[in-house]
Amino acid sequence: MDKIPFSAIVLYAVPEGMLHGTLGLSLVAVRPRFKVILAYGTLFAATAYLVRQAPVFPGIHTLVITVFNSLYLFALNRMPYRKALLAVILALAVLIFAELLFTPVALSFFALSYEQVAANPWLRVLVTLPQQMFLALSALVAYRMRGFHRSGYRHVRSYRPWGQ
């Protein structure tokens, strides 16, 4: 059970959710829209807060949050559920990679322990800035590679099932 302070929710979880949604949608070729991403980021943070409050076995909360996030993308973007689930899983993979890469580096650079970071809400936000920047850079690269930044971009939605 992890008690997330309100400052960490606002300054860490909501932006992470927005970056998570932008990256996931860009990776599955769905152009992110700001209002949808803002709503997704808020729902992402609220879900993370509520699920982490529950007394569940560690690791289960990640699965529960993933299922809820895929449902949010499914409902907010009116896209096939399999595509929404794929977007969430791909973004989660990048997020896990960023956490594994940058969190130990930040902790050793500032000579901090996990307990110190968990006890201080501002340290909790500051230590995650490198991974947030990595997510932002990954989302920006995926967004630009899809051509979403072009003013003449036209999206044609295809409802064909995958594999056909």
Side-chain angles (χ1 to χ4, degrees), residues 82-134:
R82 288 173 48 182
K83 197 170 190 178
L85 183 61
L86 179 63
V88 170
I89 290 171
L90 290 173
L92 178 64
V94 174
L95 176 64
I96 289 171
F97 174 74
E99 284 183 358
L100 290 173
L101 183 65
F102 293 111
T103 302
V105 172
L107 291 176
S108 66
F109 182 76
F110 294 111
L112 295 169
S113 68
Y114 285 105
E115 292 78 22
Q116 290 172 312
V117 172
N120 187 332
W122 297 108
L123 281 178
R124 194 174 213 165
V125 172
L126 291 175
V127 165
T128 60
L129 285 179
Q131 80 186 33
Q132 297 268 4
M133 292 180 354
F134 181 79

Side-chain angles (χ1 to χ4, degrees), residues 12-35:
Y12 165 62
V14 172
E16 181 180 284
M18 293 175 68
L19 292 169
H20 186 271
T22 301
L23 177 60
L25 289 175
S26 296
L27 289 174
V28 296
V30 175
R31 187 177 194 176
R33 296 175 314 220
F34 180 73
K35 288 181 183 179

Side-chain angles (χ1 to χ4, degrees), residues 137-157:
L137 181 65
S138 300
L140 179 66
V141 168
Y143 188 88
R144 291 191 62 86
M145 287 184 72
R146 289 287 181 191
F148 294 147
H149 65 288
R150 296 189 198 121
S151 61
Y153 175 80
R154 290 182 42 141
H155 175 64
V156 178
R157 186 175 278 191

